Amino acid sequence: VIDACVKAFMKTKNSLWTISPKKLMLKPYEVAQVDLTLTIDEAVSMTDLMHLVVEEGKDCNVSVKGKGIGTPMTCKESLAVIDFGTQYTTQTITREYFIENRGRKQGKLVWTQDNPVETKSSGRQKDDSRKEQPQIF
């Protein structure tokens, strides 16, 4: 019974999968964890083959599959709520956000106003006959 040196790598040369650690030294009956990370730029399925080469032992191949979810559009700041706070109505307030499309396909941004504006004098909602339309940029 001897120690085993194991090297891990992906079959595809420029694979979107990364392995950590790429080299392991295992004692007899030792168990180790290898982390696989898939970095993709679209919500598509990806497959590859991970090779585990064991020095002076039997090599092993592991088929890996993953699928992206969500959108490749990213922004460092949270866009869940954009709150300008209390502002005078005669002032123009501007905020800039850098939104990056890390995907391969063209995307579309749609901005909407979720909460209806209330009037101060009556406390009632304004007439909804002119509903806010999404702004497409």
Side-chain angles (χ1 to χ4, degrees):
V1 182
I2 60 170
D3 292 353
C5 181
V6 181
K7 292 180 186 174
F9 60 93
M10 301 307 293
K11 176 183 178 186
T12 308
K13 185 177 180 181
N14 294 323
S15 180
L16 298 174
W17 296 86
T18 55
I19 305 169
S20 178
K22 292 183 179 190
K23 190 172 185 179
L24 297 162
M25 195 64 144
L26 298 172
K27 299 209 178 292
Y29 305 106
E30 184 179 5
V31 176
Q33 179 174 321
V34 176
D35 294 326
L36 285 172
T37 304
L38 174 60
T39 307
I40 58 176
D41 53 9
E42 292 297 334
V44 295
S45 294
M46 299 294 293
T47 60
D48 206 341
L49 193 63
M50 179 176 63
H51 293 291
L52 298 171
V53 178
V54 182
E55 281 185 17
E56 298 185 33
K58 186 177 178 186
D59 295 347
C60 181
N61 296 322
V62 179
S63 179
V64 294
K65 268 193 238 187
K67 183 175 181 180
I69 58 170
T71 176
M73 301 277 192
T74 60
C75 183
K76 289 183 181 177
E77 298 88 2
S78 171
L79 297 175
V81 175
I82 299 175
D83 185 6
F84 283 91
T86 304
Q87 303 294 334
Y88 292 107
T89 57
T90 56
Q91 288 182 311
T92 300
I93 307 298
T94 304
R95 285 227 182 117
E96 291 186 12
Y97 294 92
F98 180 74
I99 300 171
E100 182 179 7
N101 180 3
R102 294 183 176 176
R104 292 177 254 163
K105 299 176 185 173
Q106 181 178 347
K108 184 191 314 186
L109 293 177
V110 179
W111 299 89
T112 60
Q113 178 179 340
D114 289 340
N115 299 329
V117 179
E118 292 185 9
T119 60
K120 248 188 177 182
S121 59
S122 66
R124 294 179 301 170
Q125 292 181 356
K126 286 187 177 179
D127 179 20
D128 273 352
S129 61
R130 293 181 0 193
K131 286 189 176 183
E132 187 76 25
Q133 294 296 317
Q135 301 295 314
I136 301 174
F137 298 92

